[in-house]
Amino acid sequence: MGKKKMLFVYNPKAGKERIRSNLLDIIDIFAKAGYEVTVHPTQEQGDAIEAVKNRDRGFDIVTCSGGDGTLDEVVSGMWMSKTRVPIGYVPAGSTNDFAMSLGIPAAMHASAEAIVTGREYACDIGVMNGDTFVYIAAFGLFTDVSYLTKQDIKNVLGHMAYIFEGAKRLSEIRSYHMKVTADDMVIEDDFVFGMVTNSISVGGFKDITGKHIKLDDGVFEVTLVKFPDNMLDMSNLMAALLNRDIDTEQMYCFKTSHLVLESKESIAWTRDGEFGGEHTYVDIKNENKALKIMVPNKN
């Protein structure tokens, strides 16, 4: 009986470049579990998409290591490919929100072990104007911080890099007039921030998307934050958002499997921490249990 085949795609610059000192040990874990491993270090943005989309059909699993952006690319490549296989994830980024949501260990050796000893979990993914995202699509306040913060700053400061960069933007707060259609509901208002999520953690903050989150229920958690009257209201609003203290006068929170957001001006979006383009029309759909990812066995 032949060995199982694994494509291992990793981002050598993710996080604090932790993968460099752990790479051989991780490959050894896979090899000891009976895998023949083909290694592909990414060279530029979009490289992981092409590597997975155009991979040989003989691979039994595709594993990746990097931040949420690397995972997003691997999922995109899998979505575009004709043959879909389980995905393993060794988190190595600055925040690793999706790994936290799935209970994947932060320690690289432990997450590698979970791939070869764990179980397949079928979770939802999102499709935004034809492009996939794993756990979040967002617009507005601070959402450009993750992709505009330089990688070397992220490597030195880690999660604090996002906080420092975001603090510099407080004077740039602006709103976007949008029409939002979801199920039988139509909302039209001015928003400073909006996120469509399938995660228990965003930006390293747990529970910001709500309580009792399930990643395989076929619906997103949607949060739309209205434009406040003054900076004091903005401060209170951000505190309420972080504490998930829902103020219905200032924000809309609901669940849906499909929504459309329309605006007259182009609005910049982020998908899984990476730039998602500028749009006047955004159609977001939940693809229920479309992704199989390896997670640790339940105790």
Side-chain angles (χ1 to χ4, degrees):
M1 185 174 178
K3 284 190 173 184
K4 295 172 289 185
K5 294 187 176 182
M6 173 189 291
L7 174 62
F8 181 38
V9 179
Y10 75 94
N11 179 356
K13 296 182 179 180
K16 298 181 180 180
E17 302 186 2
R18 289 188 300 142
I19 186 66
R20 293 181 181 273
S21 58
N22 291 277
L23 182 60
L24 294 181
D25 289 339
I26 291 170
I27 293 174
D28 187 57
I29 289 171
F30 297 152
K32 281 183 168 60
Y35 284 98
E36 179 182 307
V37 184
T38 299
V39 180
H40 181 93
T42 59
Q43 304 300 307
E44 58 187 3
Q45 188 172 3
D47 191 17
I49 296 176
E50 296 301 316
V52 176
K53 181 177 70 172
N54 300 320
R55 74 188 188 283
D56 184 272
R57 291 191 179 186
F59 287 109
D60 300 287
I61 186 172
V62 173
T63 297
C64 64
S65 183
D68 292 327
T70 302
L71 177 63
D72 177 84
E73 288 198 8
V74 169
V75 170
S76 295
M78 188 68 71
W79 181 256
M80 297 175 186
S81 67
K82 295 180 180 179
T83 306
R84 295 177 188 170
V85 297
I87 293 174
Y89 184 34
V90 178
S94 301
T95 53
N96 306 308
D97 287 309
F98 197 62
M100 184 185 301
S101 297
L102 290 170
I104 295 173
M108 300 187 79
H109 290 197
S111 57
E113 289 283 0
I115 291 170
V116 298
T117 63
R119 59 187 176 88
E120 293 180 15
Y121 174 72
C123 63
D124 304 341
I125 64 170
V127 178
M128 171 182 153
N129 290 358
D131 293 319
T132 60
F133 63 93
V134 178
Y135 75 100
I136 185 171
F139 70 89
L141 188 66
F142 302 154
T143 53
D144 62 349
V145 167
S146 58
Y147 61 82
L148 291 183
T149 305
K150 293 181 180 180
Q151 186 64 58
D152 56 351
I153 297 176
K154 293 180 188 178
N155 289 349
V156 172
L157 298 178
H159 177 58
M160 289 301 295
Y162 297 104
I163 297 175
F164 289 145
E165 188 69 23
K168 295 191 298 184
R169 307 296 179 80
L170 286 173
S171 62
E172 303 174 11
I173 295 171
R174 57 167 303 185
S175 64
Y176 305 91
H177 189 79
M178 304 181 77
K179 176 184 176 183
V180 182
T181 305
D183 302 320
D184 296 327
M185 176 176 58
V186 178
I187 301 168
E188 190 162 354
D189 216 323
D190 296 323
F191 302 108
V192 294
F193 173 75
M195 62 180 178
V196 181
T197 61
N198 190 44
S199 176
I200 65 170
S201 171
V202 171
F205 295 100
K206 293 187 69 176
D207 298 327
I208 193 173
T209 59
K211 307 292 184 181
H212 312 297
I213 304 298
K214 295 184 67 177
L215 306 186
D216 61 353
D217 58 2
V219 294
F220 297 116
E221 285 68 41
V222 181
T223 303
L224 301 170
V225 180
K226 295 162 64 175
F227 188 70
D229 293 329
N230 53 60
M231 285 302 295
L232 179 59
D233 285 348
M234 172 56 98
S235 177
N236 293 336
L237 183 58
M238 294 306 294
L241 179 62
L242 293 176
N243 294 323
R244 203 58 185 178
D245 180 15
I246 303 304
D247 178 355
T248 54
E249 293 296 318
Q250 292 294 334
M251 64 180 81
Y252 299 92
C253 299
F254 57 92
K255 295 176 182 282
T256 186
S257 61
H258 181 213
L259 72 161
V260 173
L261 305 97
E262 302 169 86
S263 59
K264 289 185 178 180
E265 64 174 317
S266 292
I267 298 174
W269 282 74
T270 177
R271 297 193 314 272
D272 295 337
E274 302 296 331
F275 182 57
E278 296 187 357
H279 309 276
T280 58
Y281 180 91
V282 172
D283 184 295
I284 299 179
K285 297 178 181 177
N286 184 295
E287 294 289 342
N288 186 220
K289 299 183 179 180
L291 169 68
K292 290 183 178 179
I293 190 163
M294 301 304 297
V295 298
N297 284 315
K298 294 180 179 179
N299 294 327

